[in-house]
Amino acid sequence: MNGAESLVATLLGGGVEVCFTNPGTSEMHVVAALDRKPRMRCVLGLFEGVATGAADGYARMAGKPACTLLHLGPGFANGLANLHNASKAHTPIVNIIGQHATQHLRFETPLKSDIEGIARPYSNWLRTSEAAGKVGRDAADAIVAARTAPGQIATLIVPADFAWSEGGEVATVPSWPVARACDARAVERTAAMLKSGSRTCLVLAGNALYGRGLAAAGRIAAATGAKLFSPYPFARMERGAQAALVTRTPYIFEQAVETFKEFRQMILVGADAPRSYFAHPVKGTAPTPESCEIFPLATPGEDYVGALEALADTLGISPSSSFARSLERPAAPSGPISLAGLSTAIAATLPENAIVVEESMTSGRGLMEATAAIGPHDLLANTGGSIGIAMPLAVGAAVACPERRVLCLSADGSGMYTTQALWSMAREKLNVTVVIYANRVYGVLKREFASLGIGEAGPRALSMFEIGRPDIDWVALAKGMGVSGRRVGSLEEFGAALREGFAGDGPRLIQVDV
Amino acid sequence: MNGAESLVATLLGGGVEVCFTNPGTSEMHVVAALDRKPRMRCVLGLFEGVATGAADGYARMAGKPACTLLHLGPGFANGLANLHNASKAHTPIVNIIGQHATQHLRFETPLKSDIEGIARPYSNWLRTSEAAGKVGRDAADAIVAARTAPGQIATLIVPADFAWSEGGEVATVPSWPVARACDARAVERTAAMLKSGSRTCLVLAGNALYGRGLAAAGRIAAATGAKLFSPYPFARMERGAQAALVTRTPYIFEQAVETFKEFRQMILVGADAPRSYFAHPVKGTAPTPESCEIFPLATPGEDYVGALEALADTLGISPSSSFARSLERPAAPSGPISLAGLSTAIAATLPENAIVVEESMTSGRGLMEATAAIGPHDLLANTGGSIGIAMPLAVGAAVACPERRVLCLSADGSGMYTTQALWSMAREKLNVTVVIYANRVYGVLKREFASLGIGEAGPRALSMFEIGRPDIDWVALAKGMGVSGRRVGSLEEFGAALREGFAGDGPRLIQVDV
């Protein structure tokens, strides 16, 4: 058994069953090992940002890491931006990066690079294997690192000679590392805050936003009158009438100030205290009132679900108490395209248990209100602000959950970063319906420029925000990558295209000019 | 004057007149400063790999750096892979990266990242500005660093508060740093080697491959019988009957061994001793015979042109001696598509002074032979092996040389990495003719796999090399980004499409299935 074979066997033994990849020459022995292990699903991306973003989407939905297999420093560098997003989402990912054979590193060859240097900023765990016999153990350690709460990025660099040399040993992956319980005094303190009668909110992150965590938060909110929030960026949120209602912190600072002004107490579960996305020459950065006491119940690495359940228990809330709201699905709208109408059309058509991926900062704002009380679904968002994650996330979510429909909502500017994801959707026949909100502008930038008090943007500044001239034809782009698409001109057409997408096999794209 | 204004004024004063950019909120004051300085040409890329690759292509042809303006850590990360290539090409580039305002870095906000960590592996010079009053000086230092021979990547990180605060001071950029003269003893030694009668070759890199450097090398070769080579990767080569004939080192190791077997002496001018691209479990890495003496005449940082001219002088070669060959332009071929026929068709139609960008490892191999004795042109290649540079390089070369035609030859696998460059070509109305050699496979990988002696690639391995299923429709992709394209099925059609591209205004794309 060579090092590459021990690597693949260890990954599979550790529950890593999907590999998002774009391999190169230095990874050929790993490819050969994968070739003989059909249990590992290999998904090719024609650009590495697709692979890392898909690994993020997969883990958010599967609750366990996928691996990536990428080619040397530059191949890995292409995946960094979506690893930035994954690191902010605390997503577990195991990156396997090939390296030149150790004896080749003496030479100044074209693809020689400082892979550890490139990997360090976004790797919570980083190691270069030192022998074929150590590759299996290294892979096991990488999986443990990735799984370590709240979820980490682990990067293992495998020199080609250690992949091809005999002496590989399969390593057993220790049982899943458990998140630390939060301090019992923090639970007591939080319970006292909630009983104080002061207007209180909880800001939830990570797995407090779905499943048992959100259920406990919902019971607490229902019993105490506290309001539930998420940060503006969140990894995954369970939504629909059956789930506790969570309000997303607004991106726009003034709206966030308005949102939080009523609260005197804020309890953080895995979240940081809210801050503006960017600094501003004049405005402040804390949207919370100065008088608001901010207290962390559980911090990253601690057990958010356990903390919320312990809190509910301390407050004497019955585990069977209900917080579900009545189902309200709007009728399909008609008429000309409007942002509100598009959100309503989505609410009217979204299938049960759909996964909605959302990266449409300017256009998608009304979506959460419109879908608040429809059937159950999950919502995945951009966590790190690096654009170009929606379509890769959708690839990963669809691979993780083949029985669920995926709706991917992307701005045109964001979508242009990783169009190659469309090809992977077609290759893998993933049931993803992609909606491109084509407003032909980096809308956020245009607004930010205006808010800085530096005058009107002139034609040269506008040429750096506006992405028309030429306008992008997304239906043609999709066709180019084997995805059928259509452009819709009314809400009826949009609704019909959504229904067609949700009913059909494989990916579809819908371009909406907004 | 704020820091941003001092930055832009200093860049312009230092001869940096083009900015390849994708800015974000943290760069808005720089955008505002650019808005008021029409002398700086701003070229938007819809992905940062386009911006960095274009900056590379620009500097290769303009002989001076452009700047990039990129958004925080993730935006810069997206540009790294093409900076890898630029670093191997020793291309001068000044990267300007925005950073959060310094007071905002205390907070864990979504876009916070270790920008210096991300930049370090590919920045020969790296600094974060420490005050508005220092930004101008920092920019001047960055330009000097970029210009330092043989050409470097300089990265300046500008926190938003230092961009927006008053107190900016324009700095004067010192005169162009001059490359060090090589050791006179090295010239003497090289002259003695060339006079020894032993079979000798010169391997040229950097500016030894065009202009005065190549002319001196050509005279030396003509007078001594030495043969001229370039490494497989090179940044820019002057070609055509008027230029000295340079043979590219073959990528395939066995072919390189065959190529070099006759030589007993090898003189390096800016190049490293040839080595295989990758290590192999069994094969060697040096394609040169063991008995071949390898001697560096000039190393990076030294003056290659001066070294070659001094060598010619020492050898007593007249500066007016000729090495030009007679012009031989083939007739336009006809019949079914073949790789040889495609190269001949290019040779038959290429306009004088065209710039050819080449990233078609599997398909473009016959090109250099076919175009060896046509009219003058320059050839730009992938220097670092990170695929996806051809179309960005073409953008930059076309911006640098608006009076010249650009022919961009890209493999389909490489082209998929940075398709967004097509949009920038359309936006800027660049006279680029893009040829996509669509073989629907990462051909290099398929061959490397076969050469490793690990058996036949099974269907799972093949699925990681083959990029068909679905086949990519490049004409549709181009249309999606505002570039008109056509797919050709014969050499006549290919020739007609080339002529159309060379005659028309703005970009065209030609898909050739090979």
Side-chain angles (χ1 to χ4, degrees), chain A residues 460 463-464 466 468-470, chain B residues 18-21 40-45 50 54 394-396 398-399 402 421-432 481-483 505-507:
Chain A
R460 289 161 46 76
S463 76
M464 291 180 254
E466 294 175 351
R469 293 176 294 119
Chain B
V18 177
C19 175
F20 296 100
T21 184
M40 180 76 82
R41 180 170 177 184
C42 297
V43 177
L44 180 63
V50 176
V395 168
V399 168
L422 290 166
W423 183 88
S424 294
M425 291 178 195
R427 161 68 75 93
E428 301 292 324
K429 300 185 175 59
L430 303 176
N431 291 330
V432 180
M481 288 179 276
V483 173
D505 286 330

Side-chain angles (χ1 to χ4, degrees), chain B residues 2-12 30 69 96 135-136 139 156 158 169:
Chain B
N2 66 25
E5 289 161 331
S6 73
L7 170 71
V8 174
T10 302
L11 289 168
L12 281 168
V30 181
L69 174 65
I96 309 292
V135 173
L156 174 61
V158 182
E169 290 178 29

Side-chain angles (χ1 to χ4, degrees), chain B residues 202-205 209 228-234 237 246-250 260 271 368:
Chain B
L202 281 79
V203 185
L204 312 174
L209 282 169
L228 305 179
F229 287 94
S230 79
Y232 177 75
F234 59 84
M237 190 190 293
V246 178
T247 303
R248 185 180 195 176
T249 301
F260 289 124
M368 288 186 66

Side-chain angles (χ1 to χ4, degrees), chain A residues 34-35 427 458 460 466, chain B residues 34-35 37 427 458 460 466:
Chain A
L34 288 167
D35 202 23
R427 162 67 75 93
R460 289 161 46 76
E466 294 175 351
Chain B
L34 289 167
D35 201 23
K37 292 280 189 188
R427 161 68 75 93
R460 290 162 44 76
E466 294 176 349

